[in-house]
Amino acid sequence: MNYPSLYKVADAASLKAQNKFLRLTMAHAVLLVIGTALAINVMPNKLYSIIMALVFLLALGLSILLGIKKYEKTWYNGRAVAESIKTSTWRYCMRASPFENADAVQIPKTEFRNLLNGIIKANRELGEAISEHEDTGGQITDEMNEVRSLCLEQRKDYYLKFRVDEQRLWYTKKAAFNKKKQRHWFVCLISTQLLAILCVLLRIAYPEWNYWPTDVLVVMAAFVIGWMQIKKFNELSSAYSLTAQEIGIIRGLSEDVQSDGDLSSFVINSEQAFSREHTQWSARQNS
């Protein structure tokens, strides 16, 4: 589907903010780990202390930058806007509520444009992020109108193939991906804590050695916990798996579609299932 221009810029703004937030968060953690390692003070001289101070100053600067820029908020709000436009696009193409058949073709087009205007007005804070991405495409694309002009059976088949089946595959893959990442980071968490315990025990056995990296390992473990909370691997794996199964159940309901009204109800139910996770993430971010 060739989506509206507003979707493309909102999607691009969300992805850019996500990348910046995650990269800066990772850089901040690396600086803290380096600073903690330097704090072991294996070379107690002025230059060494200056370097250590600079590392912590850089970490402080990244903390301030993350607090001011609020990349995480732009990430989630941009994603929510993009998904809202996507689901409205499919409703328009399938002639689902509130874009049903009308006496004049301009009526649903006007309603769709009014919906986009409402989204823009409700998300003024995204203006700066969106302005960084240019797209001169239309808000109602030719493909959207072509799909909308298809007969009932053709529209249903198109929706099942390019929306329902695509979304079920996406949720299934994402569930497996997040489950795999959860296992990897959990192993990292356990490993760093075990190494920290080992350092403590070795310090007892060798009290004359003063350079045990216990604090470094503790900081690393704290970062792993924070990263797992940011990425929500376990939560998303469960939610995406359930959504994939729900989509499979919903797909079976397509057999009952016999009219435009039936297709409208089917599309509305499907889109609610697709957008549930994005809506919940946006709500958590703004709470």
Side-chain angles (χ1 to χ4, degrees):
M1 176 64 67
N2 184 15
Y3 291 103
S5 175
L6 183 58
Y7 166 83
K8 296 174 184 177
V9 295
D11 180 61
S14 176
L15 290 174
K16 184 176 181 179
Q18 177 188 16
N19 289 333
K20 284 185 176 181
F21 174 75
L22 296 179
R23 288 175 182 175
L24 289 175
T25 300
M26 182 68 75
H28 180 260
V30 169
L31 287 172
L32 288 179
V33 170
I34 293 174
T36 306
L38 292 174
I40 297 176
N41 205 23
V42 295
M43 296 175 61
N45 57 56
K46 184 181 293 185
L47 178 60
Y48 185 88
S49 298
I50 291 174
I51 293 174
M52 181 169 59
L54 287 175
V55 170
F56 282 115
L57 280 173
L58 286 173
L60 175 62
L62 287 183
S63 297
I64 295 173
L65 180 63
L66 286 168
I68 293 175
K69 291 295 186 177
K70 294 182 173 58
Y71 291 119
E72 188 176 11
K73 185 174 182 179
T74 302
W75 166 15
Y76 287 119
N77 288 349
R79 184 81 267 128
V81 168
E83 293 303 319
S84 177
I85 296 170
K86 180 183 283 189
T87 191
S88 297
T89 297
W90 281 103
R91 289 191 182 195
Y92 173 86
C93 293
M94 295 299 113
R95 308 183 198 175
S97 177
F99 310 111
E100 300 96 338
N101 289 326
D103 295 334
V105 69
Q106 278 304 123
I107 294 178
K109 287 185 177 181
T110 299
E111 290 176 343
F112 187 79
R113 293 190 179 98
N114 289 338
L115 183 142
L116 295 184
N117 282 328
I119 292 175
I120 292 174
K121 291 178 180 178
N123 295 274
R124 292 289 186 185
E125 69 276 7
L126 283 176
E128 181 178 350
I130 289 177
S131 66
E132 299 177 6
H133 305 274
E134 295 183 3
D135 188 277
T136 57
Q139 301 297 358
I140 300 180
T141 64
D142 292 339
E143 185 176 352
M144 290 169 60
N145 287 324
E146 289 173 5
V147 174
R148 183 180 173 85
S149 66
L150 297 174
C151 69
L152 175 63
E153 283 301 317
Q154 289 175 322
R155 273 182 284 127
K156 184 179 79 170
D157 291 343
Y158 190 96
Y159 186 74
L160 290 175
K161 181 178 180 180
F162 294 106
R163 184 58 168 164
V164 177
D165 292 343
E166 187 275 337
Q167 283 291 284
R168 187 179 186 186
L169 180 62
W170 186 90
Y171 276 106
T172 300
K173 287 183 175 180
K174 282 294 184 178
F177 172 82
N178 280 281
K179 186 175 182 179
K180 181 179 179 180
K181 288 295 183 180
Q182 167 68 18
R183 289 198 298 264
H184 288 174
W185 283 99
F186 182 74
V187 170
C188 289
L189 176 61
I190 298 302
S191 299
T192 52
Q193 291 182 88
L194 286 175
L195 288 172
I197 294 172
L198 179 61
C199 286
V200 172
L201 296 176
L202 288 173
R203 177 178 290 179
I204 297 173
Y206 303 97
E208 68 279 1
W209 182 256
N210 298 319
Y211 306 119
W212 299 106
T214 310
D215 293 340
V216 177
L217 293 168
V218 170
V219 172
M220 291 175 65
F223 165 70
V224 172
I225 293 173
W227 188 258
M228 292 172 70
Q229 290 176 340
I230 290 172
K231 299 292 286 184
K232 303 182 187 296
F233 295 119
N234 193 48
E235 180 181 347
L236 287 179
S237 176
S238 299
Y240 287 166
S241 180
L242 288 174
T243 302
Q245 295 304 317
E246 183 182 359
I247 293 172
I249 295 172
I250 290 175
R251 195 190 194 288
L253 299 177
S254 64
E255 298 174 0
D256 299 328
V257 174
Q258 302 295 330
S259 66
D260 283 328
D262 293 338
L263 181 59
S264 176
S265 298
F266 175 72
V267 170
I268 290 172
N269 290 334
S270 300
E271 293 302 323
Q272 287 176 344
F274 300 154
S275 63
R276 186 175 299 118
E277 294 306 316
H278 298 292
T279 302
Q280 291 175 355
W281 271 59
S282 179
R284 283 195 296 265
Q285 178 62 21
N286 292 318
S287 62

